Amino acid sequence: MLAQIGLGLVCGGYATGAALGWGSQQLALVMGDFGLSVAALAAAVSCFRYARGHGHSFRPAWYLFAFSSFMAAAGNAVWGWYEVVLGQAVPSPSVADLCFLLFAPPAIVGLLVLAKKPVTRAGWVCLGLDAWLIGGSLLTLSWSLALAHTAYVPGESVARAALSLAYPLLDIVLVSMVLALHFRRSHINRSAINTAIAALALTVLCDALFTSPLLREHYSSGQLLDAGWFAGSLLLAYAPWGVRRPVDAPPAAVRARQPHSRPLAGSLAALTPYLAAAVCTLGILYNVVQGRRVDRVVVLTGCTVVLALVVRQGIMLLDNIALTHELAQKENHFRSLVQGSSDVIMIAAPTGILRYVSPAASGVYGREAEDLIGSELASLIHPEDLGAVVHEVRRFLAASPSEEPTTRIECRFRSGRGDWLNVESTVNRHQGGLIFNSRDVTERVRLQAQLRHNAEHDPLTDLPNRALFTERVRGALSGRRASDPGTAVLFIDLDGFKAVNDRLGHQAGDELLVQAARRLHDSVRAGDTAARLGGDEFAALILGDGTRDRAERERRVHEIADRLRGRLSQPYRVDGGEVRVAASIGVAFAEPGITAGDLLRNADLAMYRAKAGGKDRVELYAPQMQAEVVRRTELAARLRTALHDGEFALLHQPVVDLNTGRISAVAAQARWRSAQGILFTPAEFLRVADDNERTAELGRWLLEEAVEQAAERAGLGHRTPVTVRLSARRLLDRSMPLGSVESLLTRHGLPSGSLVVELADSDPRDPRVSFDELEQRLAALRRLGVKIALDGFGSGHAAINALRRLPVDILKLDRGLVEGIVESARLRKITSGLLRIAGDLGMQSVADGVDMPEQVLALRSMGCTHGQGMAFSGPLDEYRLRRALVRDEYPLPGEVALTGGNRPPSRSHSETPVPPT
C-alpha cells in the first residue's frame, strides 16, 4: 500500500509539473527528456533484477521488458543530449529514433511469453488471426484517419516517411498483442502481468497521441503527454514487485484462491475479433461517407481482415463440431456408466423432488426409475431416520464445498416389496440440489448386527454374556435410574452341576445349562436382564420400581430370588433321565455412587457366602463380606512367605486311653504365629490357603517336622506314636511319593508303629481321588509299619464306603457326634452303633473333641477306647509335651475323682492357650 501511494504521488507530481510548465523552459526540457530516461531506466533495472532473482517460467519476458525499457531510456537520453546539452533540434532520423523503434519488438515478444500457450495448432492459428484482426482493423482505421496523409506528403524523403510510419505501425502491433493477449494471459502471477500490460498500454496510448498530426506539430519536451510515458515506465518498474502471491504457485492453487471469472469477461474475449472487424468496416464506411477515395491500403487491409474473419469462423466451426462430437461421446460414456452401475444415482432438486433416477433402481429397490422420478425423497425414507437425514443434509449444505465436498448418509429406504432396505448414500452438491450415489447395504447391516449379537451373547444359551450384562448394569446405574436404590443384581451358581458334567458328559451338561437358561429367562420380568457369565454361573439384573423402603425392596427382591432358586432347583430332563441341581444366589443392591464393577463384585461375594452357608439358598450382600475378603486376601498373601520365614510351629495334643488315662499317642497340629503376633489355627489359615502348591509344601513340612520330633522323643525314651493328618489327595500327590515316607522314617530311625496317618477326604465320589490307587498306597504304608486312621468317621456315607474298601487300623469319631452325645439320646444310639462296628472289626476308636468330663463317661460306657480334647489337654509345645509324657497319666472322671473333689479342670494349666482344632 505504501509503494502504491508513493507511486501515485510521484506520477501525480510529474503530471502537475508538466501541466503547469515546470516553471521554466529549461526545467521542462530536463524533466521531459532526462526525467523520462530515468523512469525508463528504473523500469529496466527493476525488471532485470526481478528476472535474475526469481526462477520461474516467465523470466525471459521480464528480461525482454528490461531491454525494451532500456531502449526507451537510451532514446530519451539521446533526445535530451540534443535538446538540453547541445541546445539544438533533434535530427530526423537519429540514434534516438533507432532506440525508440527497438522499444516495441522486445515488448511484443515479452507479451507472447506471458500469454497462455494454446495447446493445439488451431489455437495458435486463432491467436494469430485474432492479432491480425485487431491489428488490421487498427491499421485500416489509422490509415484512413492519419497515416495515409503521412505516407503521401509531397517532397518528403522515403526514409523519413518510413520512419514516420514505423512508429504507428509498431504501436498498432503492440496494441494488437495487448488486446489479443489480455484475455489469454496466464493465471500465474496475474497481478504482475496485469500491471505490465497496463504500463505498456499506457505507453502505446501516448505513442498514438504523439503520432497524431495535430499533437505532433505542437509537441515539445516537458508537456503533459510526457506524464503518460513517465507513469507507464514507473508502472512497469512496479509491476514485478507489487504482488504478494507466490510467483511459482501451481495453477490449480491459484485458481482455487481466485474467484470464478465473470461471464462478461469470457464474452468480451470471444467478441474482441468481431469488434475489431466492425471497427475496420466503420473506417471504410467513414471514408465513403466523407466522399474520399478509398485507398488501396485500406482495401487490401480490409480484405485481409475479412478473409481472416472467415478463416477464423471456419476454424471455430470445425472446433465446435469436434467439441460437440467429444461431448456426445462423453455423454454416452457417462450414460453407460450410470445405467450399468449397480449403485442407484439420484438427483434431487433443492425442494427434495427427484429429477433423475438411474435404471439400477429396479434391481436395487424393486421400483422402476420412472415411478420414482417426481416423488419426494422424504416420502421414501423411514420416518425414524428422516430427522437425522434432514439434519445431516442441512449441515452439509451449510458447510464449505472446498472443506467438505461430499458426505455419507445411511438410512432405511422403502422398497417396491414393501419392506425397508438399509441404504448407504454418498451425497454431492449439484446446482443447488443434491446427487445421491446409493447402494443397498442390507446384508452388511444384518451381518454386522449378527456379529454384534454374537459378541454380546452366550453362544450356548443365547443369553447376554458378561460384557453385555455389565454394560446394562452400567446403564441401569446411570440416567434416570441412577437414584433408584431398588435396582439389584443376582449372581446364580448351580450347585452340583460339575458332578452332572463329570457323570453324564459335557453334552448332557450343556443341555442342562440350556434348560436352566430358559427357566431363568422366563422367570425374570419384562425389562429385567438374564445373562450367563460363564460355566454354570448366571446373573440377573432386577430394575427397581422406585421403592424407598429398604425392608420392602429387600423383601421384594428376595422373593424374586427365592422364586428363581426354586425354579432352577426343579428336576431337569437330561438324556432321558431326571437330574437335580440346586441354586445358590447372591443379591446385591445398588447404592448411591456405586459402580457397575462394585455392584457385580458384591453380588458375587454374596453368592459365595450362600454356597459356604450350605448351598441352595439366597444370601443378601453385607459390607462385612468385603472386609472378610480383604482380610482373607491379606492373610493368603502373608501365608505365602510364612513357612520360609519360620513363622510355623508344631504343637501336639495327647490322645488318652479312656480306661487308664495314659497317653497312647500325640496328634501333630500346625500353628501359625504371624509377624504381627496373631496365632492362627489350621481351620483359619487352611481356609485361605487355596494355592495347592502352598498347601502341599505345608503338608510336607508338617510330616517331616512331626517325624523328626517323634524320633527325638523316642531317643529320650518316649516311644509314643505321632499322628499326622493328611488328605487322600495329598497322599496321591506325585510330589510326595511313597519312597519319601520310607526314607523319612529310615533317616530319623523312627521305630515301626510310631507313625499314624489320619486319612481325611476319603469320598469315593470325588473324581480327583482314585480309590484303587488310594487302597494300594495305604497298603504300602502299612507294610512300612505305618498305622492308618480314618478321620471324621460317622460324618456320612463316605466313611462307611472307605471303611469297606480301605485298610484301616483306627476309627476317629467325628467331632459332631461327640458334641451332642450327652444331651441327645438319638445321637448316643448312633455313636454306640458306630463304636460297636469298630469293636467288631478289631479296630481302636478315638473320639475327637472330648471337652467335658460327661463326654468322657458317656464314651467310655459305649466302648470307646481313646479320646482327644480339652477334657485332658489342649495342644502343647515340645517342652510341655515332654513333661506330660513323663507324667504319662491324666486323671479320669469317676466316682473316686468326684468324691475326692479333684476332678480335672476342662483346661490344663500346662496347655498352650490356643483355640481348639
Side-chain angles (χ1 to χ4, degrees):
M1 182 63 67
L2 292 177
Q4 294 174 1
I5 293 175
L7 180 64
L9 291 176
V10 172
C11 293
Y14 191 97
T16 303
L20 298 177
W22 295 106
S24 67
Q25 182 65 27
Q26 187 68 17
L27 181 59
L29 292 176
V30 171
M31 295 303 297
D33 294 333
F34 292 111
L36 294 182
S37 179
V38 171
L41 184 61
V45 173
S46 175
C47 294
F48 182 79
R49 289 191 59 190
Y50 182 77
R52 284 183 58 110
H54 296 78
H56 50 79
S57 58
F58 293 150
R59 175 183 290 177
W62 296 105
Y63 275 131
L64 290 170
F65 290 152
F67 180 76
S68 177
S69 299
F70 180 76
M71 288 294 101
N76 284 295
V78 172
W79 198 283
W81 176 262
Y82 281 103
E83 286 190 337
V84 178
V85 178
L86 299 180
Q88 61 183 19
V90 181
S92 180
S94 66
V95 178
D97 292 322
L98 178 62
C99 293
F100 287 143
L101 289 176
L102 291 177
F103 167 79
I108 294 171
V109 178
L111 288 175
L112 287 174
V113 174
L114 291 179
K116 184 172 62 175
K117 307 300 185 296
V119 295
T120 61
R121 293 181 179 178
W124 283 104
V125 174
C126 287
L127 177 61
L129 291 175
D130 290 345
W132 171 245
L133 285 172
I134 298 172
S137 300
L138 293 177
L139 178 60
T140 302
L141 185 60
S142 302
W143 191 273
S144 300
L145 296 177
L147 296 183
H149 174 73
T150 303
Y152 298 116
V153 175
E156 190 172 10
S157 64
V158 176
R160 186 173 180 81
L163 182 62
S164 301
L165 292 175
Y167 283 110
L169 290 178
L170 288 174
D171 288 339
I172 289 174
V173 175
L174 190 57
V175 169
S176 301
M177 295 306 301
V178 168
L179 292 177
L181 298 177
H182 174 67
F183 299 106
R184 291 178 177 270
R185 62 190 183 277
S186 175
H187 292 282
I188 301 177
N189 207 356
R190 174 175 288 187
S191 177
I193 296 174
N194 286 342
T195 306
I197 291 176
L200 294 175
L202 182 58
T203 303
V204 170
L205 178 61
C206 293
D207 288 345
L209 293 175
F210 176 74
T211 57
S212 173
L214 296 177
L215 290 178
R216 189 169 185 179
E217 292 178 357
H218 304 284
Y219 171 78
S220 63
S221 296
Q223 291 183 352
L224 188 60
L225 187 60
D226 292 344
W229 283 315
F230 184 82
S233 297
L234 291 186
L235 276 177
L236 188 59
Y238 169 76
W241 306 101
V243 60
R244 298 178 183 274
R245 188 179 299 108
V247 295
D248 289 330
V254 175
R255 284 196 298 270
R257 294 191 294 264
Q258 292 278 355
H260 295 288
S261 299
R262 297 180 181 177
L264 180 60
S267 301
L268 289 177
L271 291 176
T272 299
Y274 304 100
L275 293 175
V279 170
C280 178
T281 304
L282 290 175
I284 297 174
L285 291 177
Y286 175 78
N287 285 312
V288 174
V289 171
Q290 293 294 327
R292 299 177 182 177
R293 183 177 62 86
V294 179
D295 194 277
R296 287 176 297 176
V297 176
V298 174
V299 174
L300 181 61
T301 306
C303 291
T304 56
V305 168
V306 173
L307 180 61
L309 186 62
V310 172
V311 174
R312 188 185 189 279
Q313 195 66 23
I315 294 175
M316 294 299 297
L317 179 60
L318 293 177
D319 196 19
N320 287 336
I321 293 174
L323 289 176
T324 303
H325 181 67
E326 183 180 358
L327 181 62
Q329 287 183 338
K330 290 183 177 180
E331 184 177 353
N332 292 333
H333 179 66
F334 172 74
R335 189 179 301 277
S336 63
L337 288 177
V338 171
Q339 293 181 354
S341 175
S342 59
D343 293 350
V344 180
I345 299 176
M346 301 182 296
I347 300 178
T351 58
I353 303 298
L354 294 177
R355 297 303 185 192
Y356 173 80
V357 179
S358 66
S362 59
V364 176
Y365 298 149
R367 307 179 67 172
E368 295 298 330
E370 292 78 6
D371 299 337
L372 294 175
I373 295 176
S375 60
E376 291 188 3
L377 182 62
S379 63
L380 306 175
I381 299 175
H382 196 283
E384 296 179 359
D385 301 339
L386 183 59
V389 172
V390 172
H391 178 269
E392 176 61 20
V393 168
R394 289 177 176 174
R395 185 203 63 78
F396 173 65
L397 292 177
S400 172
S402 60
E403 296 179 357
E404 189 174 4
T406 63
T407 188
R408 190 179 299 271
I409 295 177
E410 187 169 337
C411 63
R412 285 169 288 180
F413 196 90
R414 187 191 302 276
S415 70
R417 298 175 293 273
D419 57 345
W420 295 98
L421 302 176
N422 293 92
V423 176
E424 182 185 67
S425 301
T426 302
V427 185
N428 295 270
R429 299 173 179 85
H430 175 69
Q431 297 178 357
L434 296 171
I435 297 179
F436 291 83
N437 191 350
S438 307
R439 62 204 62 88
D440 182 10
V441 293
T442 304
E443 290 301 323
R444 189 193 71 186
V445 172
R446 290 176 181 172
L447 178 60
Q448 289 176 345
Q450 184 63 40
L451 293 176
R452 184 167 55 251
H453 179 85
N454 293 342
E456 295 177 343
H457 290 76
D458 175 57
L460 178 64
T461 63
D462 203 39
L463 290 179
N465 58 14
R466 183 182 294 271
L468 180 58
F469 183 76
T470 304
E471 185 64 28
R472 292 188 178 178
V473 172
R474 189 177 293 112
L477 297 179
S478 60
R480 62 183 182 86
R481 293 187 176 274
S483 59
D484 190 350
T487 300
V489 170
L490 278 60
F491 258 53
I492 306 165
D493 185 83
L494 299 181
D495 302 322
F497 169 76
K498 191 177 186 309
V500 174
N501 221 13
D502 295 337
R503 188 169 69 252
L504 301 180
H506 290 282
Q507 185 174 358
D510 291 345
E511 185 178 350
L512 189 149
L513 290 176
V514 171
Q515 295 183 29
R518 189 178 302 116
R519 293 182 185 182
L520 178 61
H521 181 269
D522 296 340
S523 299
V524 298
R525 306 169 305 174
D528 296 340
T529 301
R532 182 193 178 201
L533 305 183
D536 60 341
E537 289 188 351
F538 295 85
L541 172 63
I542 308 299
L543 299 179
D545 54 2
T547 304
R548 295 292 175 179
D549 186 3
R550 183 182 182 90
E552 175 61 24
R553 69 171 184 261
E554 289 184 357
R555 183 194 62 79
R556 179 182 62 84
V557 175
H558 197 283
E559 289 180 355
I560 296 174
D562 198 59
R563 186 173 66 251
L564 287 176
R565 183 197 59 78
R567 183 76 186 277
L568 294 174
S569 299
Q570 294 177 1
Y572 295 86
R573 298 290 299 177
V574 177
D575 284 347
E578 190 175 273
V579 176
R580 287 182 177 271
V581 294
S584 297
I585 301 178
V587 181
F589 286 92
E591 301 293 341
I594 195 172
T595 63
D598 292 341
L599 183 59
L600 295 177
R601 181 205 60 201
N602 294 345
D604 196 16
L605 292 175
M607 184 268 291
Y608 278 105
R609 174 60 65 89
K611 293 178 71 68
K615 304 181 180 180
D616 194 17
R617 58 197 300 258
V618 176
E619 189 77 30
L620 299 181
Y621 170 78
Q624 56 267 27
M625 295 181 183
Q626 176 63 20
E628 181 180 350
V629 170
V630 173
R631 177 179 174 273
R632 292 180 59 184
T633 303
E634 294 176 351
L635 193 63
R638 295 201 302 266
L639 181 62
R640 293 187 181 98
T641 59
L643 187 60
H644 297 285
D645 294 344
E647 297 181 6
F648 274 89
L650 189 66
L651 303 181
H652 295 83
Q653 188 173 26
V655 177
V656 180
D657 189 327
L658 296 183
N659 294 316
T660 64
R662 300 188 62 183
I663 299 176
S664 61
V666 290
Q669 299 175 4
R671 290 293 188 272
W672 174 29
R673 186 178 298 277
S674 68
Q676 291 76 20
I678 304 175
L679 191 67
F680 297 100
T681 65
E684 293 175 312
F685 63 76
L686 290 180
R687 189 166 58 246
V688 301
D690 53 356
D691 187 353
N692 291 331
E693 181 181 355
R694 197 66 54 200
T695 305
E697 185 179 1
L698 181 61
R700 289 192 295 270
W701 174 85
L702 177 63
L703 179 62
E704 293 178 3
E705 193 74 11
V707 171
E708 181 180 359
Q709 293 187 13
E712 292 179 0
R713 291 192 297 271
L716 297 175
H718 305 296
R719 299 181 177 275
T720 306
V722 62
T723 301
V724 180
R725 189 174 185 271
L726 295 175
S727 66
R729 287 191 296 117
R730 191 61 56 205
L731 280 174
L732 296 177
D733 190 356
R734 300 301 179 185
S735 63
M736 192 179 70
L738 176 63
S740 63
V741 177
E742 182 178 11
S743 61
L744 184 65
L745 297 177
T746 304
R747 183 169 70 251
H748 294 287
L750 193 65
S752 177
S754 298
L755 176 63
V756 181
V757 174
E758 291 184 359
L759 182 64
D761 302 333
S762 56
D763 190 349
R765 298 173 302 171
D766 191 344
R768 297 170 296 180
V769 176
S770 173
F771 244 54
D772 295 334
E773 293 183 11
L774 182 61
E775 183 178 4
Q776 296 175 7
R777 188 65 180 274
L778 293 179
L781 288 175
R782 291 188 71 187
R783 287 194 296 269
L784 296 175
V786 178
K787 294 183 179 181
I788 307 300
L790 187 60
D791 186 34
F793 186 72
S795 59
H797 73 281
I800 299 298
N801 290 333
L803 183 63
R804 179 175 60 86
R805 296 188 55 182
L806 302 179
V808 178
D809 302 301
I810 302 171
L811 294 181
K812 195 169 185 179
L813 294 180
D814 186 73
R815 177 184 292 271
L817 295 175
V818 178
E819 287 178 350
I821 197 171
V822 177
E823 296 83 3
S824 174
R826 183 183 182 86
L827 197 58
R828 284 198 299 271
K829 293 181 180 180
I830 295 174
T831 305
S832 177
L834 294 176
L835 290 173
R836 191 178 305 112
I837 294 174
D840 294 341
L841 295 176
M843 300 179 183
Q844 294 181 4
S845 55
V846 178
D848 189 15
V850 182
D851 297 332
M852 296 183 296
E854 294 82 358
Q855 295 171 345
V856 176
L857 295 174
L859 289 169
R860 188 170 57 186
S861 65
M862 297 177 189
C864 184
T865 60
H866 296 81
Q868 172 185 344
M870 299 300 294
F872 308 107
S873 172
L876 305 175
D877 57 21
E878 186 65 20
Y879 173 74
R880 292 184 175 85
L881 175 62
R882 291 181 181 182
R883 289 181 56 187
L885 291 176
V886 170
R887 188 172 61 249
D888 194 23
E889 184 177 0
Y890 285 97
L892 297 174
E895 294 181 359
V896 177
L898 290 175
T899 56
N902 57 351
R903 188 181 70 173
S906 61
R907 182 181 295 269
S908 170
H909 67 279
S910 62
E911 69 183 54
T912 303
V914 295
T917 58

